[in-house]
Amino acid sequence: MAALFGASEDEGVLGWQERALCAQTDPEAFFPEKGGSTREAKRVCSSCEVRVECLEYALMNDERFGIWGGLSERERRRLKQLKHRVV
């Protein structure tokens, strides 16, 4: 299945990062100052083919800063809280 999307079998656990659109974009957009806009980063994420992998990585590694998988720190925190309530 991965080969269909241009990923090789041996690209490694973090190989998705090479295909991430944010790797081709200004990194500052993904780490805005407190109160800064997240609009540009979320726009990039919305069309990224590895958005799910990115979000899973951020949740599994408890990333506390930046936009990951299209979600802000606050949005990821809420998602984790909801997940814990359901489980």
Side-chain angles (χ1 to χ4, degrees):
M1 176 93 155
L4 292 175
F5 297 103
S8 65
E9 291 291 328
D10 62 349
E11 77 176 353
V13 175
L14 297 178
W16 59 267
Q17 290 180 342
E18 293 178 13
R19 299 188 328 273
L21 291 178
C22 61
Q24 307 161 27
T25 312
D26 179 10
E28 289 187 26
F30 295 87
F31 296 92
E33 295 291 325
K34 186 170 183 151
S37 176
T38 60
R39 187 176 298 138
E40 178 62 21
K42 288 182 174 189
R43 185 187 64 75
V44 171
C45 291
S46 71
S47 59
C48 185
E49 72 179 63
V50 295
R51 181 178 179 182
V52 171
E53 291 92 333
C54 181
L55 180 58
E56 287 176 353
Y57 174 85
L59 293 172
M60 295 294 290
N61 291 283
D62 200 27
E63 288 290 343
R64 295 181 189 238
F65 302 101
I67 305 300
W68 291 81
L71 299 182
S72 68
E73 307 93 32
R74 181 178 296 145
E75 292 165 330
R76 290 192 305 276
R77 211 173 20 245
R78 272 193 230 128
L79 183 63
K80 284 181 98 170
Q81 289 172 349
L82 287 173
K83 182 180 176 186
H84 289 295
R85 286 183 197 164
V86 173
V87 176

